[in-house]
Amino acid sequence: MPKAGKRISLLAGLADYAPRKAFDEMASARGRVRPLYENLRDCLQLVDAPRLEEGRASLDASFLRRGITFTVYNDPTGTERIFPFDPLPRLISAADWARIEKGLVQRVSALNLFLQDIYGPQKILTEGVLPAELVHSAKHLRREVAGLRVPHGVHIHICGTDLIRGDGGEFMVLEDNGRCPSGVSYVLENRRALKQAFPEWFRGHRVRPVDRYAADLLETLREISPRQEAEPVIVLLTPGPMNSAYFEHSFLARVTGIELVQGCDLFVENQRVFMRTTRGPRQVDVIYRRIDDDFLDPLVFRRDSVLGVPGLLQAVRRGSVALANAIGTGVADDKALYAYVPRLIQFYLSEEAVLPNVPTYLGAEPDGLKYMLENLKKLVVKPTNESGGYGLVIGPQATRKELAACAARIRKDPRNFIAQPTIALSTHPTFAERKVEPRHVDLRPFVLTGKKTRVLPGGLTRVALRRGSLVVNSSQGGGSKDTWVLED
Amino acid sequence: MLSRVADGLFWISRYVERAENLARIADTYLQAELDRAGSRRVDWQGVLQASGAVESFPGKNGSPTAGEVVSFLSFGADNPNSIAACLERARENARMIRDQITTEMWEELNRVWLELGGTAGRALRRRNPPEYFREVRRASHLFRGTTAATLSRGDARDFLDLGMFLERADATSRILEAQSLQGEGTEDEERWAALLRSCSARETYRAGHHSRMEAAGVIAYLMLDAHFPRSLDHCLIQTGQMANRLAQPGDQVEVAAWVLAVRAPLNRAPMRVGPELARFLDPWQGELHGLSDKLAERIIGGKLTLPERSQWHTQQEQQQQKATWS
Amino acid sequence: MAHPAGAAAAEGDVELEVQHTTRFSYAEPVRNSFNETRLQPVSAGGQERLDFQLEVCPMVRAGEYRDFYQNVVHYFEVNDPHHELVVTARSRVRTGQVSGATQSGRESLHDYLQASPFVSLPVDVFREAVDVQGAGGSAEERARRLMDHVNRNFVYEPNVTHVHTHVEEVFQLRRGVCQDLAHALLALCRSVKIPARYVSGYVYCGDQHEMRGAQASHAWVEIHRGEGGWLGLDPTNACAAGELHVKVAHGRDYRDVPPLSGNYYGTDQRSLRVEVDVRRL
């Protein structure tokens, strides 16, 4: 964000604000604000430079004081940074949100049914709806949990599905994140900080609250406990302070009141999980684990993992402990599977997908592979099993050398790549160097599923802070905004 | 509370207390050295002993200089219990349980480590040793104060206090032991004054009721006074109270007995500076360490041993093994 | 964990009895030991399991489940400190004509055509396989040629490799034990698109010790013949798996079916002793 002392005139900025080629959330044309944002525009016009500075100082203090930081891998300066926050909120109409919510619930239901099927009878494969190789070659298919029962048949309890808006403003699903989706702590803290910095903006709108999330998360975790008679013992399993998302782990543990533990705090005896406490061992019923499958149980998965709990899978198998999310959900957010999700929705729910996919070409399919290699310059290529934006190649921005290297990687392991046309993500007014400019944004809502499904209103709007950049991930220099879902 | 967290809190407190005591010892005897140029010299070997640093001290000729000892105690590379090492470990433990302590506590430990544990600290110690040691003591007090002001009363506070009092008892007993190894006590007021000062007891002792400085009174004060915060008995009384609060109901009687077993002998201790006192204190310290271990196992560990990750091994059988014939 | 006998023996059937004892001895007592075993012979494909017993010392109860490949897995933990862990499996099986029928697991043939943890498919292995398989023929014909090739060109030699030896090293060394030869055959078969899976079990060696792998657990390969189902091929002994083979488990490679695998807390100073006894009744 620009340094203090540079006077930014919001008023001038807005009047001048012109969207670029992509769909802009606020403005339909230069100086023309969409009805949804008119109210906000009026609020912003009342903000003079000193008021703006005051508000931003309040935001900085909020984040700094609460230690809202994260670690960026590959950053030479090393460690913790404040996650950049842009004060201009992103608005979503009630009607739009109703549709999004419906689509998300539908999608997560389908994914859960899919997982239950894949680790069970595999009807979708025997009936030929999905090519068997696609599933069997999935990097995150966990054969170890085949046949395992999970509470209420739910595998993905916490899902972060990324949405973008296309040229016409239609919401599309970019990808699902059903393993350890992160970012919700920023959603909650962003709201709190913005409310404190610019309360008058909130007074001008009816914004749906987000602070129910903690209670909803706790309720979801309670609902999957194997022991229902007593108050379940729930813990959040973290890899520890060195992990880039540690702030979120400790934040969530704190706001839900559950114990934050590391692998060494737990042990398994007689296929039950216990916590080492000062009062002796305490049996654990539910583990909200923020550790990847690979590191969960050195007896079963990676043998060199010191982050996990030896014997954990045995306890899960016995049913004495529930994991959120369950083991093996990675096969559902495999990017190669993504293209088939509308087909899953059709198969399991007999419905049309409410939220469409982005058109996707699969390296695993011969036609897809051919198209990819012939059109690399126009496409965004993604490895099917990375997260955080790593391994991404954006065709139109890549050099010839980079494209050639990418093509070689694809040929070597075609199943591991998909490609999508470069969708210009929608843009949103964001503070840039001297004024307010359009920057690309996406949206990550959070869906909780226990006995019932609950969707957090809004979610994390991530913004690419560099002009023209399409990369919004926090680990690669993105920032975030508060997301407002307006009541009717 | 998680055992790992309790363990972290316990050791943060011990390391901070240890750093403070080292600073106090070093400062007192450095001052004494300056005060007495010409007359009775400070026995720096004895100071090393009081700091538990004899084993690791590189020079073994038995008569180190003030400069060598002070340097070793504060930043000695070979000294696992130097002030710098203690500050680092305290911070490290805090970082590992960051979410269990308040931001202010963390910031304090972090700041102290940055300012007094590294190059800046080294420079200050060289430039102005008394100032450096004062800063270390101040940091310790600040930490205690911050904790008192920001951390809610409860198990976390009690674990911190438990660590502090156990460490303090250890420190005071070492100081006494070192003194008693420096030779029989004559009526040397200077010496007793230095002893009291090394325990920050000079003023309170005088204010108490003792106008004359004499061995028996001073020893009794430092060992048995129920109110003086650094006396052995006071520390043990507090230890007993913390332990009682933290222990499970079924363990309280046993834990109280352990503490009593360490307190009781104090009444029979010789109130004379000399080899007798040293002979009493040495095994007594062993008892104190035993108490600390037992309390840690019962109250922190919940009777479970914390396995170390490095001890984790896999075992597998090869498909084709050569059979052995019995 | 005992399983009662099945139907009465028929003429030509072979009855075999296996005792497999694994003994870990530790320099100091270890604890919190979690282990899984795959020691129970199958009842499938011409083999009938008549009896099975698993004994663990120190005595603990074992749980049981079927893994992704439908192998029966027994799991147990020994939490208290112990100096030794002894696992004894006793089984009795009847083997007759080996038919094509086999256990149906959840796996597709895909798993048996891909690389797996111990078996990669590098280009030079592919070339070797292409050379050997020659003009072609059915999957069975080609696989048999590959099996003979492994038998002739790799030397059976213990103590050159270890439990984690990867197939690429085996191809360099050209020697190893059954586990390694089986991995080698897997790599060759898969390279030329013959679905092949790893089989662990035992082989009866007779009194004269004609067959190698005697008195130890054994490994071979099963290839998929399409319509004909699975066929066992033993590269160590250059023969099809027959009535003298006792099958316990199958998977992609050794990693999926170790007879005993576990973790524990304690010293890494330990020794392992394994005794296998296969008798014909």
Side-chain angles (χ1 to χ4, degrees):
Chain A
M1 283 206 282
K3 302 184 187 23
K6 286 214 172 103
R7 300 190 139 233
I8 311 276
S9 169
L10 262 183
L11 190 56
L14 288 183
D16 258 345
Y17 184 81
R20 303 221 176 82
K21 276 175 59 187
F23 177 88
D24 189 271
E25 304 271 339
M26 183 184 81
S28 48
R30 177 188 287 271
R32 291 253 301 273
V33 166
R34 298 182 195 277
L36 185 65
Y37 276 80
E38 276 169 4
N39 217 344
L40 185 66
R41 189 253 334 260
D42 294 341
C43 288
L44 294 178
Q45 284 178 337
L46 298 174
V47 178
D48 59 11
R51 176 74 192 90
L52 182 60
E53 278 317 304
E54 191 190 2
R56 297 232 297 236
S58 164
L59 289 171
D60 278 347
S62 271
F63 290 128
L64 197 59
R65 200 178 51 240
R66 301 179 87 78
I68 297 172
T69 62
F70 67 101
T71 34
V72 174
Y73 295 123
N74 302 328
D75 183 345
T77 61
T79 44
E80 300 171 26
R81 298 225 291 252
I82 305 286
F83 188 26
F85 173 73
D86 184 270
L88 299 177
R90 185 257 190 92
L91 272 46
I92 300 180
S93 72
D96 275 344
W97 181 253
R99 203 177 129 77
I100 291 172
E101 188 169 13
K102 186 162 174 232
L104 289 171
V105 172
Q106 179 194 55
R107 198 171 172 103
V108 175
S109 305
L111 291 178
N112 270 316
L113 288 167
F114 168 71
L115 287 166
Q116 211 181 0
D117 189 25
I118 285 301
Y119 291 115
Q122 294 194 337
K123 283 211 270 265
I124 197 171
L125 298 185
T126 56
E127 293 187 30
V129 176
L130 213 57
E133 293 77 58
L134 194 73
V135 170
H136 286 278
S137 59
K139 181 173 169 199
H140 296 292
L141 177 73
R142 299 292 172 181
R143 292 165 176 79
E144 297 87 346
V145 298
L148 221 71
R149 302 247 298 268
V150 291
H152 311 299
V154 174
H155 281 79
I156 305 179
H157 306 94
I158 301 124
C159 191
T161 295
D162 293 345
L163 304 178
I164 60 172
R165 288 183 100 157
D167 294 335
E170 68 281 18
F171 280 96
M172 294 183 279
V173 176
L174 187 60
E175 69 182 29
D176 300 292
N177 292 288
R179 278 173 286 154
C180 297
S182 66
V184 77
S185 55
Y186 298 123
V187 174
L188 302 179
E189 289 294 274
N190 288 351
R191 173 64 57 90
R192 181 196 282 261
L194 194 65
K195 257 200 202 157
Q196 229 173 13
F198 295 103
E200 67 273 23
W201 295 356
F202 285 86
R203 274 180 243 128
H205 296 77
R206 286 174 54 211
V207 184
R208 284 183 63 180
V210 296
D211 49 19
R212 267 212 62 81
Y213 185 81
D216 285 345
L217 174 60
L218 187 59
E219 198 49 41
T220 302
L221 295 171
R222 277 208 193 101
E223 283 170 359
I224 61 172
S225 167
R227 285 196 299 188
Q228 286 291 333
E229 330 77 58
E231 179 67 24
V233 176
I234 308 173
V235 302
L236 197 155
L237 178 60
T238 174
M242 302 313 291
N243 184 272
S244 62
Y246 182 68
F247 158 73
E248 177 156 304
H249 305 163
S250 70
F251 173 85
L252 288 173
R254 211 172 347 114
V255 298
T256 52
I258 67 182
E259 192 80 57
L260 183 69
V261 303
Q262 297 177 21
C264 58
D265 295 318
L266 302 178
F267 67 96
V268 174
E269 194 168 288
N270 295 324
Q271 292 106 50
R272 292 186 171 83
V273 181
F274 294 90
M275 237 191 322
R276 298 176 206 275
T277 76
T278 53
R279 309 221 160 216
R282 195 156 172 233
Q283 186 173 347
V284 173
D285 301 304
V286 181
I287 303 179
Y288 175 12
R289 48 85 172 211
R290 295 293 290 251
I291 293 186
D292 205 65
D293 287 351
D294 256 342
F295 297 94
L296 267 184
D297 186 342
L299 179 65
V300 179
F301 303 114
R302 276 183 68 148
R303 296 194 188 209
D304 58 351
S305 167
V306 294
L307 302 175
V309 186
L312 182 61
L313 188 55
Q314 290 169 3
V316 173
R317 191 183 304 285
R318 193 218 173 102
S320 68
V321 73
L323 298 186
N325 293 324
I327 296 174
T329 55
V331 68
D333 64 21
D334 185 306
K335 294 189 183 45
L337 182 83
Y338 160 85
Y340 290 91
V341 174
R343 235 183 269 189
L344 298 188
I345 295 174
Q346 186 64 245
F347 181 75
Y348 292 110
L349 302 173
S350 305
E351 291 171 10
E352 285 274 322
V354 169
L355 291 171
N357 270 9
V358 169
T360 303
Y361 303 96
L362 297 178
E365 284 182 346
D367 292 339
L369 179 62
K370 183 159 178 286
Y371 186 86
M372 269 166 71
L373 292 170
E374 285 171 3
N375 294 283
L376 226 43
K377 270 206 315 282
K378 299 193 282 182
L379 299 171
V380 176
V381 176
K382 300 183 192 177
T384 55
N385 287 294
E386 307 296 336
S387 54
Y390 290 105
L392 200 79
V393 173
I394 300 178
Q397 294 174 356
T399 65
R400 257 213 308 202
K401 200 158 163 237
E402 285 167 352
L403 288 175
C406 183
R409 281 198 300 272
I410 295 174
R411 280 196 202 89
K412 191 154 176 252
D413 185 8
R415 187 249 177 258
N416 195 35
F417 292 91
I418 60 159
Q420 295 166 329
T422 50
I423 305 273
L425 273 54
S426 57
T427 55
H428 193 285
T430 304
F431 278 101
E433 277 305 305
R434 287 180 179 282
K435 56 191 177 75
V436 174
E437 288 185 0
R439 289 287 184 271
H440 291 288
V441 294
D442 75 354
L443 178 66
R444 176 180 287 190
F446 291 89
V447 182
L448 295 170
T449 310
K451 274 207 211 114
K452 48 187 278 231
T453 303
R454 304 164 173 94
V455 185
L456 175 70
L460 188 67
T461 291
R462 301 181 299 179
V463 55
L465 293 173
R466 275 199 350 261
R467 178 193 303 206
S469 166
L470 292 168
V471 177
V472 301
N473 299 85
S474 64
S475 47
Q476 297 189 324
S480 72
K481 287 170 167 295
D482 192 13
T483 310
W484 292 3
V485 172
L486 301 180
E487 311 250 25
D488 255 320
Chain B
M1 172 180 294
L2 289 175
S3 297
R4 175 178 53 88
V5 172
D7 191 63
L9 290 167
F10 181 72
W11 282 101
I12 288 173
S13 195
R14 288 198 69 155
Y15 284 123
V16 170
E17 183 69 23
R18 196 172 293 182
E20 182 191 335
N21 285 313
L22 287 168
R24 184 178 295 110
I25 292 174
D27 196 28
T28 304
Y29 285 100
L30 204 55
Q31 285 233 345
E33 173 105 337
L34 295 171
D35 289 343
R36 293 156 161 221
S39 64
R40 186 196 186 83
R41 306 236 85 179
V42 171
D43 181 352
W44 285 99
Q45 183 72 4
V47 175
L48 269 185
Q49 196 140 1
S51 323
V54 174
E55 297 292 312
S56 39
F57 188 71
K60 302 278 183 214
N61 60 1
S63 43
T65 65
E68 285 170 349
V69 173
V70 164
S71 173
F72 189 70
L73 291 181
S74 45
F75 282 94
D78 298 323
N79 185 359
N81 284 310
S82 67
I83 292 177
C86 289
L87 293 179
E88 171 154 14
R89 283 204 218 111
R91 177 192 180 265
E92 203 41 44
N93 271 288
R95 199 171 60 83
M96 286 293 139
I97 57 167
R98 172 97 171 257
D99 48 285
Q100 302 286 336
I101 57 176
T102 67
T103 313
E104 289 86 351
M105 286 166 68
W106 160 253
E107 281 172 358
E108 193 51 44
L109 288 172
N110 198 27
R111 180 194 69 80
V112 166
W113 171 75
L114 279 171
E115 287 178 15
L116 299 175
T119 10
R122 243 182 253 263
L124 177 59
R125 192 202 50 78
R126 255 183 254 120
R127 199 172 59 240
N128 190 347
E131 179 63 27
Y132 175 75
F133 296 125
R134 254 200 300 283
E135 282 300 311
V136 172
R137 274 162 42 212
R138 194 173 296 147
S140 168
H141 297 152
L142 249 161
F143 174 71
R144 302 288 173 203
T146 305
T147 303
T150 61
L151 191 64
S152 323
R153 281 232 152 268
D155 283 3
R157 282 284 292 276
D158 290 341
F159 278 111
L160 287 166
D161 285 343
L162 183 70
M164 180 178 78
F165 284 115
L166 279 168
E167 183 70 29
R168 201 178 276 177
D170 187 55
T172 304
S173 75
R174 283 178 193 282
I175 290 173
L176 285 168
E177 189 189 359
Q179 265 299 320
S180 54
L181 289 169
Q182 300 221 8
E184 289 281 345
T186 59
E187 297 311 306
D188 182 349
E189 286 218 7
E190 292 276 345
R191 185 175 168 187
W192 309 135
L195 174 59
L196 284 171
R197 229 180 271 118
S198 70
C199 300
S200 291
R202 182 79 181 79
E203 274 85 33
T204 50
Y205 183 84
R206 199 194 343 221
H209 38 280
H210 314 271
S211 46
R212 253 188 70 204
M213 209 79 60
E214 38 106 38
V218 168
I219 307 274
Y221 188 68
L222 293 177
M223 287 181 75
L224 296 173
D225 191 280
H227 299 295
F228 177 59
R230 314 197 86 80
S231 89
L232 296 181
D233 203 39
H234 177 88
C235 290
L236 286 171
I237 292 172
Q238 293 299 320
T239 298
Q241 284 188 4
M242 299 302 139
N244 184 62
R245 281 217 285 269
L246 292 169
Q248 298 214 58
D251 290 331
Q252 281 167 337
V253 171
E254 197 177 352
V255 160
W258 293 344
V259 176
L260 201 57
V262 178
R263 269 184 75 198
L266 291 175
N267 286 304
R268 301 192 295 273
M271 294 293 141
R272 247 188 330 282
V273 168
E276 260 187 305
L277 183 57
R279 274 199 299 275
F280 170 84
L281 284 173
D282 195 58
W284 185 84
Q285 275 172 20
E287 295 294 308
L288 182 64
H289 298 155
L291 173 66
S292 176
D293 288 342
K294 284 205 292 241
L295 287 176
E297 198 216 339
R298 187 64 65 93
I299 295 177
I300 292 178
K303 283 187 247 183
L304 301 164
T305 18
L306 251 70
E308 289 164 38
R309 288 173 180 186
S310 57
Q311 285 190 298
W312 182 246
H313 301 292
T314 59
Q315 59 190 10
Q316 257 187 352
E317 186 186 318
Q318 183 172 5
Q319 189 67 347
Q320 173 66 6
Q321 277 293 326
K322 199 167 152 193
T324 53
W325 306 92
S326 48
Chain C
M1 290 163 279
H3 299 261
E11 192 61 51
D13 283 348
V14 173
E15 242 183 66
L16 298 168
E17 190 180 72
V18 182
Q19 179 160 317
H20 179 156
T21 304
T22 308
R23 183 187 304 260
F24 283 102
S25 303
Y26 311 98
E28 284 157 24
V30 302
R31 56 197 161 80
N32 297 110
S33 175
F34 299 89
N35 302 276
E36 287 194 343
T37 69
R38 283 170 177 78
L39 294 168
Q40 180 170 305
V42 305
S43 275
Q47 172 178 304
E48 190 188 343
R49 180 185 64 248
L50 303 173
D51 194 15
F52 176 77
Q53 277 178 23
L54 185 72
E55 221 174 80
V56 179
C57 180
M59 195 160 87
V60 288
R61 233 170 15 152
E64 187 182 313
Y65 72 94
R66 278 185 186 270
D67 69 13
F68 190 76
Y69 301 102
Q70 291 302 299
N71 303 307
V72 171
V73 184
H74 290 102
Y75 59 99
F76 58 89
E77 24 178 303
V78 186
N79 284 312
D80 293 330
H82 53 284
H83 256 109
E84 248 195 3
L85 176 66
V86 185
V87 179
T88 307
R90 291 185 190 81
S91 21
R92 215 157 40 91
V93 298
R94 184 182 298 142
T95 57
Q97 278 297 86
V98 177
S99 74
T102 138
Q103 306 147 255
S104 63
R106 294 187 184 86
E107 72 274 31
S108 70
L109 290 179
H110 170 274
D111 273 0
Y112 305 123
L113 287 165
Q114 306 301 313
S116 55
F118 280 88
V119 177
S120 60
L121 306 175
V123 156
D124 33 320
V125 169
F126 167 68
R127 286 200 208 104
E128 188 173 332
V130 164
D131 280 344
V132 171
Q133 76 170 352
S138 68
E140 178 172 344
E141 286 164 354
R142 291 183 289 133
R144 279 182 185 271
R145 262 177 245 140
L146 291 170
M147 173 188 73
D148 290 333
H149 171 78
V150 172
N151 180 261
R152 281 195 308 268
N153 288 279
F154 288 72
V155 176
Y156 175 86
E157 190 177 323
N159 298 322
V160 183
T161 56
H162 55 84
V163 72
H164 296 300
T165 301
H166 192 273
V167 81
E168 285 178 20
E169 203 182 326
V170 176
F171 271 92
Q172 274 170 9
L173 292 169
R174 298 265 151 184
R175 52 190 77 230
V177 295
C178 326
Q179 173 178 326
D180 307 302
L181 302 189
H183 284 158
L185 183 55
L186 288 174
L188 291 166
C189 289
R190 289 176 187 168
S191 291
V192 290
K193 303 285 183 246
I194 302 172
R197 66 190 183 189
Y198 181 94
V199 180
S200 77
Y202 311 96
V203 68
Y204 173 63
C205 62
D207 296 331
Q208 288 90 20
H209 298 264
E210 292 155 349
M211 287 209 183
R212 284 186 239 129
Q215 310 305 29
S217 54
H218 189 41
W220 61 97
V221 162
E222 276 176 358
I223 59 121
H224 196 261
R225 294 178 289 193
E227 297 260 318
W230 294 93
L231 170 70
L233 294 175
D234 183 347
T236 312
N237 292 297
C239 63
E243 44 193 33
L244 302 180
H245 285 77
V246 178
K247 175 175 171 181
V248 170
H250 67 240
R252 291 167 293 176
D253 60 31
Y254 171 76
R255 187 77 165 340
D256 285 338
V257 293
L260 171 66
S261 171
N263 307 65
Y264 62 89
Y265 277 122
T267 171
D268 62 353
Q269 307 293 315
R270 64 168 184 263
S271 61
L272 167 65
R273 211 170 92 160
V274 177
E275 288 168 21
V276 173
D277 195 24
V278 184
R279 275 172 222 228
R280 183 165 177 170
L281 299 176

